[in-house]
Amino acid sequence: MQTQQRRLAVFVVLALVALVGASVLGLVVGSVHIAPSATLRYLWAELSGGTITCADAPDYRIVVDSRLPRVLTSIFVGAGLSTVGVIVQAVVRNALADPYILGISSGASVGATAVVLFGALGGLGLYALPSAAFLGALLATVIVFMLARTSSGLEPLRLVLMGTALGYGFSAITTVLVFLAPAGDAARSVMFWLLGSLAAASWHSVWLVGVVSVVGAVLAVAVARHLDALSMGDDVSASLGIDAGRFRLGLFVASAIIVGVIVSVCGAIGFVGLIMPHVTRLLVGADHRRVLVLCPLLGALFVVVADIISRTLVPPYELPIGAITAAVGVPTFILLMRRRTRTVSP
């Protein structure tokens, strides 16, 4: 046990150091290069209430008002998606499950697209987009949950198949909404956003995503033992006094809230919730108390690096971050599956 704890501590420290380094790099690089020393000076001035010269004001505003919210948002997005990935995989007892495959992200995208293109829920003002995305994610969750249930309970394989099918269905609805949009420019903007983009990150998005991601991660750690039991089957959960059905439903709703808020801010970013739990288990084992400590940090690091690549790979253009996570996630997932197959082969 002590060896496992030391191993976890080492990886947590390494992940934190890498995350800090990547975050500083994210503040430095961009269409306007700002020296690391100047970047750190601007951050200190913002935190301490210090002063800067008039000549430094433009670079200061770029760092504080544009890049810093973007980096912080990417940290919380990665942490939130990774946490949801761990939860969903434990709930359905299937390592292939994640918000994207289960159709939750696609459902959230439908709600968010309806707001962006047609002004749905306009009376909610600033909260129209996250509210619509949450409702879409919740609707997708309920439909998948109901279709996957059988008289013998929830079948993990059936859940993945139903989620995949409904994900395609919700994606088709989103395509129709884009096709019917009255403004062509808005439609193109939505298509870019649906592939994932942190270009619109602001201090509002930092607080919005930060709160749901941190609360979600803390609650997940609090119920880690329950997740261990649930991942071993409903019979094990029942023997420990856990109402598996009610617990699973609560986790699905919590996942829908987190995914809905994240999609409303940056669109649907795939593979984070699928890959990061796998990588974390390879490093620290399957115990959810350890996984849920390290996985959000690795997810945050992954999204921060992916965002840096998306806005620096082909300057002055910015690539959708979902394209970057897919380019890394697909081969990584294939390698993980091949390693898993060799491990369990006779």
Side-chain angles (χ1 to χ4, degrees):
M1 181 63 69
Q2 290 182 350
T3 301
Q4 292 176 338
Q5 294 297 331
R6 285 197 297 268
R7 184 181 179 87
L8 174 63
V10 168
F11 282 119
V12 166
V13 171
L14 291 176
L16 284 172
V17 171
L19 181 58
V20 171
S23 299
V24 173
L25 181 62
L27 296 175
V28 171
V29 300
S31 57
V32 177
H33 178 76
I34 301 174
S37 58
T39 299
L40 295 176
R41 181 158 48 85
Y42 300 151
L43 291 178
W44 177 249
E46 176 69 14
L47 293 173
S48 64
T51 59
I52 59 170
T53 65
C54 293
D56 288 334
D59 287 349
Y60 171 80
R61 295 263 67 93
I62 291 174
V63 170
V64 173
D65 294 338
S66 178
R67 292 181 183 175
L68 183 57
R70 182 164 183 158
V71 168
L72 291 176
T73 300
S74 63
I75 289 173
F76 291 130
V77 165
L81 289 176
S82 299
T83 300
V84 172
V86 173
I87 292 173
V88 171
Q89 289 177 12
V91 166
V92 304
R93 305 195 305 276
N94 193 311
L96 294 177
D98 85 329
Y100 210 90
I101 290 178
L102 293 183
I104 300 176
S105 295
S106 299
S109 297
V110 171
T113 301
V115 172
V116 173
L117 296 181
F118 300 98
L121 304 181
L124 296 179
L126 225 93
Y127 299 99
L129 197 57
S131 298
F134 164 66
L135 291 175
L138 184 61
L139 177 63
T141 300
V142 170
I143 294 175
V144 172
F145 188 84
M146 292 177 62
L147 291 177
R149 285 192 65 84
T150 64
S151 57
S152 58
L154 187 68
E155 296 183 2
L157 179 59
R158 184 184 178 94
L159 186 76
V160 171
L161 293 175
M162 290 297 179
T164 301
L166 282 172
Y168 280 113
F170 282 119
S171 295
I173 294 174
T174 301
T175 302
V176 172
L177 292 176
V178 172
F179 180 78
L180 296 175
D185 290 341
R188 284 191 294 271
S189 175
V190 166
M191 289 305 295
F192 183 86
W193 172 76
L194 287 175
L195 293 173
S197 174
L198 288 160
S202 63
W203 284 110
H204 173 71
S205 66
V206 170
W207 290 110
L208 188 62
V209 180
V211 168
V212 297
S213 295
V214 171
V215 171
V218 170
L219 291 179
V221 171
V223 298
R225 290 184 181 275
H226 287 44
L227 289 174
D228 284 333
L230 200 63
S231 64
M232 291 185 287
D234 290 3
D235 293 338
V236 175
S237 300
S239 68
L240 297 175
I242 301 171
D243 186 337
R246 182 174 299 177
F247 183 54
R248 184 179 285 112
L249 181 59
L251 290 173
F252 267 127
V253 173
S255 299
I257 294 173
I258 297 172
V259 172
V261 170
I262 290 175
V263 168
S264 72
V265 169
C266 62
I269 301 176
F271 286 97
V272 181
L274 179 63
I275 297 298
M276 290 301 105
H278 281 280
V279 174
T280 305
R281 293 189 193 100
L282 288 176
L283 296 176
V284 297
D287 189 320
H288 283 89
R289 286 170 297 179
R290 296 195 299 271
V291 170
L292 285 166
V293 171
L294 180 60
C295 192
L297 294 176
L298 295 180
L301 175 62
F302 181 41
V303 175
V304 169
V305 174
D307 181 54
I308 293 173
I309 295 173
S310 73
R311 54 192 170 95
T312 59
L313 188 62
V314 286
Y317 303 103
E318 181 175 320
L319 297 175
I321 190 173
I324 306 300
T325 58
V328 176
V330 169
T332 302
F333 184 71
I334 292 173
L335 290 174
L336 289 172
M337 288 298 97
R338 287 178 63 85
R339 184 182 186 280
R340 182 188 180 98
T341 301
R342 286 196 299 269
T343 301
V344 301
S345 295

